[in-house]
Amino acid sequence: MKTEDLWIFAYGSLCWQPGFEYEEMVVGHIKGWVRRFWQGNQVHRGTAEKPGVVATLVPDQDGETYGCAYRVNPQAYQKTLKYLDNRETKLGGYDSKRSLFYPCDDSETEPFLAILYIALPGNVDWRGPGELEDIADEVITATGVCGSNIAYVTDLAAFLRTHEFKDDHVFELEAIVLEKLRVEDSNSSNASVISEDEEEEEEGSDSLESSIE
């Protein structure tokens, strides 16, 4: 591995939708951070009227966050950083930092520095700690230019499961979101059945009145 290599650490949508050219992808983790859905989003997964909620990293001395790191095409360094500056910083409210990345597929590979993007408290979309039930309520109603907030949560959970990574915060939020959707579908189905029954009763009543006349 060359010291001048540029690596980007992904822990959210960059895991499955990086949007830039790369030479290599390695799964692993960083230390001292935990993933939390504490950042609002008015572009990618929501709007100004119905903001979404997306993941960021929060300092935690004993924490670990699993994801992947991309080694960027050397000819695309500036293009990639410009793209990420727009996507993560200008539109997302994130700031860039560096952290050691620990690959988990090769014990002989030394940890290396990677750029990561985190939302800092005080930015206009910062949410901070919140009840997962409340976060889920926002998730199920929000959609942005990159798709629904629901898909963001379930795609992130799917990526973690694919690589057998654990993240209770993500999996608990996903479970609450899916349960709320199940209840909504059930209520919608029940309302549809009731409506159909009412229509049949009205038709029956009209037929009876016609026969009496």
Side-chain angles (χ1 to χ4, degrees), residues 109-212:
T109 300
E110 292 292 324
F112 53 83
L113 281 174
I115 294 175
L116 54 88
Y117 292 84
I118 66 170
L120 298 177
N123 80 78
V124 295
D125 290 315
W126 177 255
R127 299 296 181 80
E131 295 294 331
L132 288 179
E133 288 280 347
D134 296 334
I135 296 173
D137 285 335
E138 291 191 78
V139 166
I140 62 178
T141 62
T143 297
V145 297
C146 292
S148 73
N149 207 172
I150 296 169
Y152 179 95
V153 173
T154 57
D155 286 348
L156 178 54
F159 171 85
L160 295 173
R161 288 195 184 93
T162 296
H163 297 285
E164 300 181 348
F165 294 151
K166 183 179 179 181
D167 192 313
D168 291 340
H169 181 78
V170 175
F171 293 148
E172 288 175 16
L173 177 59
E174 179 197 37
I176 295 171
V177 167
L178 294 178
E179 175 61 17
K180 286 180 178 290
L181 291 174
R182 186 194 66 78
V183 171
E184 280 191 1
D185 288 343
S186 177
N187 291 340
S188 178
S189 296
N190 290 337
S192 178
V193 170
I194 292 173
S195 178
E196 291 176 359
D197 289 343
E198 290 176 346
E199 289 179 0
E200 290 178 358
E201 289 178 1
E202 290 179 0
E203 291 176 357
S205 176
D206 291 341
S207 297
L208 179 59
E209 290 178 359
S210 297
S211 63
I212 292 176

Side-chain angles (χ1 to χ4, degrees), residues 30-48:
I30 60 172
K31 297 180 179 181
W33 302 89
V34 290
R35 181 171 21 224
R36 293 291 183 266
F37 275 77
W38 288 7
Q39 174 70 358
N41 188 276
Q42 301 182 41
V43 178
H44 301 114
R45 300 290 173 168
T47 63

Side-chain angles (χ1 to χ4, degrees), residues 62-76:
D62 301 318
E64 294 181 343
T65 297
Y66 284 82
C68 63
Y70 298 101
R71 182 165 62 84
V72 177
N73 184 321
Q75 282 71 48

